[in-house]
Amino acid sequence: MEKELYDFKCALEATIVAMQKEGTIKDFYEMKEFTEREQWIKDYITKNGVKFFVTHPIGDDEFRVNSGVFQQRVPNLAQELYINFRLFETLVRNHLNDGYTIMKISFREITDSTVSEFSRMMPEENQLLLKSMKEYLYATLSFHTEPETIPAKHYFVFNLDTYYEFNVNQFGNFNGTSLGRTLINASSDAYVANCIRYDLILVKQYIDRIHMYLEGCLKKNVDRLDFIPCIGKKITVKDGSLKESIYLATMPSDNNKQLLSAEFPYYDQGSLEP
């Protein structure tokens, strides 16, 4: 019985993934009449979160357009940006358990002084990895509460083999950096987000879905999460307006560094901040 239920959930997920990738999931969810199987799918989406299943996934065509805009306007900034999947899961689960509710990805410009400042906390190999991101877009990860009842925690973790906590006051405003100004000039709204804000419980749901569908149903080995820069119209946290800005689309990769984009939708769970 348990296996039958698991197979049924896998079949529902496969159908939903196909619609998410085609960009038709919203139209499906808003239909007025459903067959019995379609109603099962809608009920499954409603039970597990409309925002997570309908709003956050990015159709393949939208991703191709927006990642293409980034490549066209700022081709010299493109570089792999990823986090080891197990490290990411550990950070998310630990901070949820500690009472944090918000995750942020903050854009950074890596300079010689940055590497020098933080070199004491890293072995030489990771110093070199960080140094390799000079002149490319980099990011750091942080966890917060709203209101701030617990001090925020900030980490170097992108493209590294472990994570390092650091003092955020040692970084300035991204808008004032050379990379920030380049990205402002690349936006038709002359805007760049300093960071992207995520609801931490929905990030955990994303991790759980990877475990359930990619690793469980499809038996895929997930090694890392790739964060792919795009430029498109996204909602700002400050006033809910749409701004053209850089944002990050996520996609799991296997242990051969191959994106699992044939089996899973691209996701954008964040809002631009400020």
Side-chain angles (χ1 to χ4, degrees):
M1 184 66 181
E2 283 188 12
K3 184 180 184 306
E4 289 178 0
L5 179 59
Y6 186 76
D7 290 345
F8 177 71
K9 286 181 67 176
C10 287
L12 290 185
E13 283 278 353
T15 302
I16 292 168
V17 164
M19 289 189 288
Q20 289 168 332
K21 293 181 67 57
E22 291 168 1
T24 59
I25 188 71
K26 186 173 186 291
D27 291 338
F28 167 81
Y29 191 78
E30 293 177 349
M31 289 191 324
K32 301 301 182 185
E33 296 183 3
F34 296 89
T35 65
E36 183 179 18
R37 186 171 187 278
E38 288 170 344
Q39 189 64 53
W40 290 338
I41 295 169
K42 182 173 182 179
D43 291 345
Y44 181 81
I45 291 171
T46 302
K47 178 182 177 182
N48 290 284
V50 176
K51 183 181 289 187
F52 179 74
F53 277 98
V54 177
T55 308
H56 290 166
I58 307 169
D60 286 3
D61 288 345
E62 180 182 350
F63 168 78
R64 276 191 287 268
V65 169
N66 289 353
S67 61
V69 171
F70 181 89
Q71 293 282 351
Q72 181 182 32
R73 295 186 189 174
V74 284
N76 295 332
L77 298 191
Q79 179 65 290
E80 286 187 330
L81 201 59
Y82 62 87
I83 301 179
N84 176 278
F85 180 58
R86 306 303 164 189
L87 282 179
F88 185 69
E89 179 176 19
T90 296
L91 284 167
V92 168
R93 293 189 186 280
N94 285 352
H95 286 83
L96 263 177
N97 291 338
D98 289 342
Y100 291 87
T101 56
I102 303 297
M103 183 185 86
K104 295 182 183 181
I105 294 177
S106 300
F107 296 116
R108 306 293 184 192
E109 180 177 69
I110 300 299
T111 62
D112 286 329
S113 62
T114 307
V115 178
S116 176
E117 183 72 38
F118 297 107
S119 62
R120 292 184 298 276
M121 70 172 69
M122 298 180 185
E124 185 177 0
E125 182 180 356
N126 282 341
Q127 290 179 42
L128 292 173
L129 282 168
L130 196 61
K131 197 169 185 177
S132 72
M133 295 303 295
K134 281 176 55 183
E135 301 179 5
Y136 296 108
L137 184 69
Y138 191 65
T140 57
L141 196 68
S142 60
F143 297 89
H144 308 257
T145 59
E146 290 185 357
E148 193 170 312
T149 54
I150 312 172
K153 297 287 187 75
H154 298 262
Y155 299 95
F156 287 109
V157 65
F158 282 91
N159 296 31
L160 302 177
D161 58 10
T162 189
Y163 52 85
Y164 301 91
E165 189 175 354
F166 70 93
N167 183 347
V168 72
N169 294 327
Q170 292 164 292
F171 275 104
N173 190 306
F174 180 71
N175 284 2
T177 66
S178 175
L179 289 185
R181 289 190 295 270
T182 297
L183 288 167
I184 288 171
N185 291 335
S187 163
S188 62
D189 292 318
Y191 173 87
V192 64
N194 280 308
C195 65
I196 304 176
R197 179 187 184 278
Y198 300 80
D199 186 333
L200 195 53
I201 195 67
L202 293 179
V203 177
K204 177 187 176 294
Q205 189 175 0
Y206 177 74
I207 291 169
D208 291 342
R209 193 183 191 201
I210 289 172
H211 282 309
M212 184 269 168
Y213 185 65
L214 283 177
E215 295 184 329
C217 298
L218 302 185
K219 310 302 181 189
K220 299 292 183 180
N221 294 313
V222 177
D223 181 66
R224 72 187 202 185
L225 288 180
D226 282 68
F227 294 77
I228 305 163
C230 299
I231 290 178
K233 291 279 189 180
K234 292 294 170 180
I235 294 175
T236 62
V237 172
K238 186 176 181 180
D239 56 13
S241 62
L242 285 173
K243 297 282 190 182
E244 186 183 67
S245 173
I246 181 175
Y247 71 93
L248 298 173
T250 56
M251 178 59 69
S253 295
D254 65 18
N255 47 12
N256 293 315
K257 301 181 181 178
Q258 295 296 311
L259 293 175
L260 296 171
S261 52
E263 295 86 9
F264 206 65
Y266 292 93
Y267 259 80
D268 167 33
Q269 290 187 287
S271 299
L272 307 178
E273 194 170 273

